[in-house]
Amino acid sequence: MEDGQEKLQLTWDDGHVSPYIPFWLRQRSFNPKHQEEAGRERYRRARITWDSSMQEKLPRASFQKILSDDKSLYEFLHNWEVYG
């Protein structure tokens, strides 16, 4: 910690300086509890369970588009996480 500031500052061998705030470090901790909390807050989307109303609005994806277009891939992965 430097000058009572709420950050950890690392100076690398090449002279590059990286400041880190405690909150950021905690979210990236290897402690399983902290990893689970961070994952819920940052990465996981709300899941939508299937029922009969989903029949007409299930997401569709073109395999070729997924392979060739980053936006299509992102949409596919997003839908897979949300809808299963």
Side-chain angles (χ1 to χ4, degrees):
M1 300 293 179
E2 184 178 278
D3 300 325
Q5 294 178 352
E6 290 289 321
K7 69 177 178 179
L8 172 67
Q9 186 167 304
L10 298 177
T11 304
W12 301 94
D13 291 340
D14 65 359
H16 176 79
V17 177
S18 300
Y20 300 100
I21 60 173
F23 178 76
W24 188 90
L25 290 170
R26 182 176 177 203
Q27 284 189 315
R28 287 147 183 86
S29 163
F30 288 101
N31 178 310
K33 179 184 173 196
H34 296 159
Q35 286 180 336
E36 184 178 328
E37 290 171 2
R40 277 195 311 266
E41 293 171 12
R42 286 186 294 163
Y43 301 116
R44 299 220 171 96
R45 292 167 174 58
R47 300 244 160 60
I48 298 174
T49 55
W50 292 24
D51 62 18
S52 62
S53 69
M54 292 294 297
Q55 188 172 1
E56 297 301 318
K57 54 186 175 182
L58 282 175
R60 307 249 187 252
S62 160
F63 181 69
Q64 290 304 317
K65 283 184 105 175
I66 290 170
L67 292 179
S68 63
D69 178 58
D70 287 341
K71 184 177 180 199
S72 295
L73 174 60
Y74 174 82
E75 288 173 1
F76 168 76
L77 292 172
H78 173 267
N79 289 334
W80 187 18
E81 181 177 6
V82 171
Y83 298 103

